[in-house]
Amino acid sequence: MKPFGTLIGTLRRPAGALGVLALLLGAVIAAPPAGAVASPAAAPTGGAAAAVAAEPKNLQVMSWNMCDIPRWNCADTGTSAQKAGVVKHHIDNTWVHAVLLQEVCENTLATLMTELGPGWGTAFHPYRWSQNGVKHDSPCVEGKPERAGTAIIVKGGIQDARTYPTTQPWTGLQAPFHCATAPYWDNIRLCNVHASWLGINPDHPTWDYRDDQFAEIKAVVDQFPRTVFGGDFNAKSPDAPNNPHAWVWPQGLYSQGPGTEGYQECDQTGTSRTGRPTHDSGVKIDYIFSSETRRWCAVADTAYSDHHVMIESVAVG
C-alpha cells in the first residue's frame, strides 16, 4: 500500500458517451486524467492541460475519515503530519478544490490550513460527548484542550457555515452535521456527514440513530439548489448483499439511476446503489452524493487511515 494511496477512478458518463475509464494516478502527475473531461468531442486539441483551462468550474470534492484521534483506535495509522500530507497530496496532484474531513484534530487542521495558504477557507465543528444530556467537547487527547471534530475546506473561501440538528444519543458521542457555501464554485452548498454507528449509545446499544439522521440530512440538503454532501455514513450501501440494515436509507436519498428520485452517489453504476469498498474491512461506508453532473469518481486506499479517500469531480459551471 502506498502512503498516499493508489488512486483508481471510474468515470461515469451519461448514455451515449464513454462508459468506463480507469484512471491510475501516480505520486506526481503533471496534468489531470485526459479522459476526465465533460465530453470526448468537446476536448480541446491542446490536450489535458487545455481541457482544464477550458473547464475552470469543474469541482473536485474529497471526503476522508482521517482517523486522526489516537484514542479512537487510530494509534497505528501514522502521524498527524502524514495524514495532513495525504490531503495536501491530493490537492496538489488530483486537483481537489474542496475537502470533507471526519475525525480530524484541531492542530492537524491548523497545520494543513497554514500549508494551503490564505486562498482557502475552513469550517470546523467538534464532536461532543453527551452523558445523560450533559455535553462537553470531545478532546483529541484526554485532558488536553485540543478538540476532535469534522471540517470543510474549500479553495476560494466559504460563506454561511452552520450546523444543522440531527437526532443524537442522549448518552454517547454526538457528531456534527454542517454545511458551508462555496461562492467561487457557483455557490454550491457543501455538507459534511459523520453518522452514528450502531451501538453508539452504551445504555441502549441496539438503538439505531442512522435512519433518523439520514432522513434529517435529506430534509436539509433538499432545500439547496445545488449541493455536494458526503462523509462517513457508518452504513453499508442499501443494495449491498446480505445487508440487514438497508432500511436505514430513506426513500429519495440514494438515486436508483438517471431520472429517479434522489442524489447520484460518486461510485454507483446504473441503478445499483452500491460501490467499491471504502474501509479496510472490505465494505463501503463512505459516500459522496451530489445534485450536479458527475464527471468522474475515484477511490484511494492509504496507509494513514482505515478509511479510503474518495474524490468526485462534478460540473458546476
Side-chain angles (χ1 to χ4, degrees), residues 55-108:
E55 298 180 351
K57 290 298 182 70
N58 289 327
L59 172 66
Q60 276 73 256
V61 180
M62 169 178 167
S63 178
W64 187 36
N65 183 322
M66 296 182 77
C67 201
D68 192 32
I69 297 94
R71 63 191 184 90
W72 291 358
N73 300 315
C74 295
D76 299 323
T77 59
T79 66
S80 291
Q82 289 169 325
K83 295 170 188 289
V86 172
V87 179
K88 186 67 163 53
H89 168 83
H90 286 296
I91 286 173
D92 291 343
N93 297 292
T94 321
W95 303 276
V96 164
H97 309 112
V99 186
L100 310 174
L101 294 176
Q102 304 88 49
E103 295 187 19
V104 59
C105 292
E106 278 185 301
N107 290 348
T108 304

Side-chain angles (χ1 to χ4, degrees), residues 11-70:
L11 187 65
R12 316 296 189 194
R13 296 182 181 273
L18 291 178
V20 176
L21 176 64
L23 306 176
L24 181 60
L25 303 182
V28 179
I29 308 173
V37 295
S39 169
T45 57
V52 171
E55 298 180 351
K57 290 298 182 70
N58 289 327
L59 172 66
Q60 276 73 256
V61 180
M62 169 178 167
S63 178
W64 187 36
N65 183 322
M66 296 182 77
C67 201
D68 192 32
I69 297 94

